[in-house]
Amino acid sequence: MDTKRVVVITGGASGIGQETALKFASKGDRVVVADYNEAGGQETVELIAKAGGEAAFIKVDVSKHEDVQALVEKTVEIFGRIDVMFNNAGIGGAGPVLDQNMDLYHRTIAINQHGVAYGIIEAGRKMKELGIKGVIINTASVFGFLASYGTFAYHATKGAVIMMSKSAALELAPYGIRVVAIAPGVVDTPIIQGFKDRGMLEGMKAKVMGGELTKPEAIAKSVYLLSLEEAEAITGSVVMVDQGYAGFK
C-alpha cells in the first residue's frame, strides 16, 4: 500500500508556496502545485522533479469556488487522496482606507479570504469523505492582529483567516481533521514590496530577531512541522512564525 502523503499547496508558483512545495517534496510527499501563474507553477514542478520528487501542476483561481472544487477533485483523480491542504495563495492590500480602489478591495477579499474558505470547505469535505485524518493549514499574518498603514483590506482578510481556522478546527475535530493558521511577519516575498515603497521596511526589520526579513524557506519548515503526526495536539491555533515581530516593541 502506498503510504506517501499528498499535499496541495495554493500559491505554489513563488515565495512561501514554492519553498513549501520543495520542502514537502524533499521529504517524500507528493505535491500538487496550485496557482494561477502557469509558468511559475510549472517551474516549481520542474524543480521538484529535478530533485527526484513527484509533483503535478493544477491551474486554479482560488477566488472561484468551482476552481477550488475542481482542484480537490483533480488531486484525488491524480494521486488518490489528499492529506494536507495548505491554503497559502494571497495578494497584498488595497491601499489606505479612504483611498480604496473598490475593485482591488473586492479582489483582495476574494483571494485572501474567500479562497481560504473554499480550500477549507472542499478539502475538509474530501478528507471526511475518504476517511482521512488530514491537516488544513492556512496562511494568516501578524497583520491579522496588528495594524499598519495602507493595508486596510489585507488586515480584514487575515483577521478572517484566523477566525475561520479556529471555527473550522472546532467543527472538523470529530473527523480527526486538524486546522491550523500560521502568522508570518515580514517575509521576503513580493507582497512586502508595498511596505518598502512606503518607506516602512527598515522600521519593520528592526522589530524582528536578527534585523532581517524572514526567508520563505523558514516559513516552509514551520508548515512542514505542523503537518506532521508529532503536531497532533495543535489544532485551532494560530502559530506565530514572525521571528518575534508581534512581540517586540
Side-chain angles (χ1 to χ4, degrees):
M1 179 173 139
D2 191 349
T3 58
K4 286 186 178 181
R5 298 188 306 174
V6 175
V7 182
V8 178
I9 298 173
T10 68
S14 62
I16 291 171
Q18 184 176 72
E19 290 296 336
T20 305
L22 296 172
K23 181 65 177 179
F24 276 95
S26 74
K27 295 295 186 177
D29 295 317
R30 295 175 294 181
V31 178
V32 170
V33 178
D35 207 296
Y36 194 73
N37 177 354
E38 291 187 67
Q42 292 291 358
E43 177 190 52
T44 304
V45 169
E46 289 169 9
L47 288 171
I48 290 171
K50 285 180 182 178
E54 188 176 1
F57 172 72
I58 297 176
K59 185 174 181 178
V60 62
D61 178 350
V62 298
S63 71
K64 297 179 180 178
H65 183 206
E66 61 271 23
D67 269 30
V68 180
Q69 282 181 308
L71 168 63
V72 171
E73 291 298 333
K74 287 177 184 175
T75 295
V76 176
E77 286 176 16
I78 296 168
F79 290 125
R81 59 188 294 120
I82 177 171
D83 299 276
V84 180
M85 180 76 177
F86 182 30
N87 294 304
N88 168 71
I91 61 173
V97 61
L98 301 184
D99 298 320
Q100 289 293 291
N101 175 313
M102 296 312 298
D103 287 339
L104 184 53
Y105 169 84
H106 287 294
R107 177 169 168 73
T108 303
I109 300 294
I111 293 173
N112 293 10
Q113 179 175 331
H114 296 167
V116 172
Y118 301 150
I120 293 170
I121 292 165
E122 294 306 323
R125 285 173 174 170
K126 186 57 67 174
M127 289 173 181
K128 178 188 173 186
E129 175 189 323
L130 298 176
I132 294 171
K133 294 182 178 180
V135 185
I136 300 170
I137 302 173
N138 306 314
T139 298
S141 171
V142 293
F143 299 112
F145 299 97
L146 306 175
S148 65
Y149 290 97
T151 51
F152 174 74
Y154 187 81
H155 288 296
T157 63
K158 295 306 182 178
V161 169
I162 288 166
M163 289 312 302
M164 288 192 298
S165 299
K166 290 176 177 289
S167 177
L170 180 67
E171 294 196 32
L172 297 182
Y175 310 113
I177 300 169
R178 294 192 291 118
V179 185
V180 184
I182 59 165
V186 284
V187 185
D188 192 7
T189 66
I191 286 179
I192 208 69
Q193 183 64 39
F195 294 102
K196 183 177 180 180
D197 293 343
R198 293 193 295 276
M200 299 168 62
L201 193 54
E202 290 306 313
M204 297 169 76
K205 286 165 65 174
K207 292 179 63 177
V208 300
M209 184 175 65
E212 293 296 335
L213 299 178
T214 304
K215 297 298 183 185
E217 52 265 37
I219 307 300
K221 291 175 185 177
S222 298
V223 174
Y224 180 75
L225 288 172
L226 288 169
S227 77
L228 298 176
E229 186 178 348
E230 285 80 357
E232 63 182 353
I234 303 175
T235 191
S237 300
V238 183
V239 179
M240 309 302 288
V241 288
D242 65 340
Q243 291 188 296
Y245 184 91
F248 293 164
K249 296 292 185 182

